[in-house]
Amino acid sequence: MRFDDWFLTAEERDNPATKLHAWTTGNLVRPLIHGAAYYAELKARVDRLGKNDLLLFADWRGDPDELLTEDGPGVAQVMAQAAARGALVRGLIWRSHLDWLRFSSEENRHLGEDVEAAGGQCLLDTRVRPGGSHHQKFVILRHDEDSAEDVAFVGGIDLCHSRRDDAEHRGDGQTVAMPRAYGDRPPWHDVQVMIQGPAVGEVEKVFCERWQDPAPETRHPIKRLRDHFARMDDEPPLPDPGPPPEPVGTHAVQLLRTYPHRRSAYPFAPQGERSVARAYHKVLRAARSLVYLEDQYLWSTEVIEPFAGALEREPELRMIIVVPRHPDQDGWLAGPASLIGRADALARLQEAGGDRIAVYDLENHAGTPVYVHAKVCVVDDVWASVGSDNVNLRSWTYDSELSCAVIDEEPDPRPPAGARRFARELRLDLAAEHLDRDPGDVDDLCDPVVTFDAFAESAERLERWHRDGCRGPRPPGRLRPHAPPRLGRLRRVLAAPLYRIAVDPDGRPPALRRSKNF
């Protein structure tokens, strides 16, 4: 197959300032479904770092005491131990907005200070548009003597509270504030990938570009003074990157990013970069049978338009979408506004696809809703993406994002033909969990129509059981048909300006906004 039928070419990325290759081949990418699996793998890998090895990480939120395994230790301690063994530890953490807005400025500062105290270096990075964030979540581990051990982790999982959950979805004992519906220990569904091979060097380039940005991490004089006294304002140079690791697998990887257009331009993206958005536009033009999407938000009619266009173009195309039942921990501020965006997006999809579009949320076996934080898309079991970006205008234009798109050179032997092994197996692994299927009993779900019907039947059985007062044994499955709360006319009128301005802003240059071009 031709990779450029699915991946963006260098010209289509439309950012000649970046050093990234269009894509790399020879990689091995392994999905790590849920925070517990990611954290355990990360700890095991960091524990093997020694003198002159390299640990680079970027995070939206970091909690220094978040346990990486049930019995610890915490994130900061694991990194500090690596630094004590002589590893070079460098971190880029979004400084965050004020804590009274329920963000994480103090937690992020404490993680940075703990890493600094151990001999590492962290920058609290506010080199974003006003109201924007550095939303990328990735870790790179490179080894001075054995590049075969080099790995990169990319996806949607922050190094913070509430993320260490597993397939049982009983939640993380270290919690963040969430709506009451999620209980005292909110269940959390998320995905990261572990990359080995040449693409590790590409993820390192992403870190280096941000680290070497000459703009000050903050222009706020009080914060700059505080950083100076805490010794968090120096930027020691990174070592020159070594050669990329040798090929180890059959996975082609393309890194996709969002950077906004800023008046004080990023040197590595002077007009911003919107390769996440451009990649979705390209693969949705190629979609023919099934788009499977897990997303935290699903806002914005403008962003949903290529999905709707694919449904209108292809009469056999189906879409399965999994979203959270309730707005997230910021819902007290943006909840009504975000519901406007989701309601409008779902209405557009229903108009385009009718009964070929199905939207679900999740609950655990105790009936507690599961918060879907994953950002996963699989198209026709060929192209798969796992990253930090959500399906909304903010992630496609305004915040910094990083996603890993994968095409396997190895075909999947099961019918229908044309699928690639990585994409199909990722989709089947997620389907097995949501349907309470044995992972070895999913071959029938290779058929997109069978999958679509199996999701619908499972969700209807569980919904009927709830309607009947939960009498008798609970049917298998965790899917419920998603029915977002309706907003009254007054609430909708009041919330609309907040949605357009603050919740889902547009970070494109004015000319692109006017042309509706990404």
Side-chain angles (χ1 to χ4, degrees), residues 347-368:
R348 176 68 182 104
L349 289 174
Q350 291 290 344
E351 175 191 26
D355 59 5
R356 292 179 290 120
I357 172 77
V359 185
Y360 304 100
D361 52 55
L362 301 175
E363 67 181 34
N364 64 17
H365 292 148
T368 305

Side-chain angles (χ1 to χ4, degrees), residues 35-351:
Y38 168 42
Y39 285 179
E41 186 69 47
L42 176 64
K43 179 183 181 301
R45 296 276 177 170
V46 173
D47 284 349
R48 299 207 290 268
L49 292 179
K51 186 175 177 58
N52 295 326
D53 292 339
L54 191 61
L55 189 166
L56 309 174
F57 72 97
D59 215 355
W60 177 81
R61 171 175 174 146
D63 287 303
D65 62 335
E66 171 64 17
L67 303 180
L68 293 185
T69 59
E70 187 68 33
D71 55 354
V75 171
Q77 186 177 346
V78 170
M79 292 184 179
Q81 289 169 347
R85 293 192 300 271
L88 187 68
V89 180
R90 299 286 185 265
L92 287 163
I93 313 172
W94 179 47
R95 185 182 294 271
S96 181
H97 303 310
L98 300 175
D99 278 332
W100 63 269
L101 291 176
R102 295 194 187 179
F103 287 100
S104 50
S105 61
E106 285 305 311
E107 291 83 356
N108 290 358
R109 170 170 285 280
H110 293 328
L111 175 58
E113 289 172 344
D114 288 355
V115 170
E116 294 264 346
Q121 181 68 34
C122 283
L123 302 181
L124 295 175
D125 193 353
T126 55
R127 294 173 287 197
V128 297
R129 285 177 65 113
S133 74
H134 283 304
H135 197 239
Q136 297 170 338
K137 309 123 191 302
F138 64 94
V139 179
I140 305 143
L141 308 178
R142 301 213 62 179
H143 297 74
D144 186 51
E145 295 184 354
D146 185 8
S147 64
E149 288 288 304
D150 292 354
V151 298
F153 300 92
V154 174
I157 304 180
D158 299 279
L159 301 173
C160 71
H161 294 166
S162 270
R163 273 49 169 184
R164 190 171 53 82
D165 200 357
D166 58 24
E168 293 300 315
H169 287 310
R170 298 189 183 99
D172 185 342
Q174 297 170 278
T175 63
V176 296
M178 294 288 286
R180 285 191 297 273
Y182 291 105
D184 296 332
R185 187 169 171 157
W188 200 279
H189 175 71
D190 222 331
V191 182
Q192 198 88 349
V193 292
M194 185 177 80
I195 305 168
Q196 297 172 276
V200 173
E202 297 297 288
V203 183
E204 185 178 8
K205 290 178 187 176
V206 175
F207 184 93
C208 292
E209 285 182 343
R210 276 187 56 192
W211 184 270
Q212 293 164 357
D213 185 347
E217 305 91 76
T218 177
R219 298 183 184 278
H220 193 290
I222 301 299
K223 292 177 179 177
R224 292 186 73 173
L225 189 63
R226 185 180 180 186
D227 287 356
H228 177 73
F229 284 113
R231 298 173 59 193
M232 296 184 69
D233 60 346
D234 54 325
E235 297 180 43
L238 295 171
D240 292 335
E246 293 296 316
V248 292
T250 61
H251 298 156
V253 168
Q254 180 165 70
L255 296 184
L256 303 170
R257 303 184 300 183
T258 299
Y259 289 114
H261 173 257
R262 295 194 336 163
R263 187 174 301 171
S264 54
Y266 294 114
F268 49 85
Q271 294 297 312
E273 181 175 316
R274 288 160 293 281
S275 53
V276 167
R278 288 167 175 263
Y280 270 103
H281 277 260
K282 183 165 185 171
V283 299
L284 289 169
R285 287 195 296 269
R288 298 292 182 270
S289 58
L290 179 65
V291 174
Y292 178 84
L293 179 70
E294 295 187 354
D295 195 72
Q296 181 185 7
Y297 291 131
L298 195 72
W299 296 342
S300 178
T301 51
E302 187 170 351
V303 167
I304 216 67
E305 195 55 37
F307 293 85
L311 287 165
E312 290 173 335
R313 185 191 69 246
E314 296 294 331
E316 299 302 315
L317 179 65
R318 290 166 172 79
M319 287 188 187
I320 296 173
I321 301 175
V322 181
V323 296
R325 188 174 302 172
H326 305 287
D328 65 1
Q329 64 267 34
D330 307 322
W332 68 278
L333 174 66
S338 68
L339 292 176
I340 289 176
R342 181 175 293 174
D344 290 348
L346 293 180
R348 176 68 182 104
L349 289 174
Q350 291 290 344
E351 175 191 26

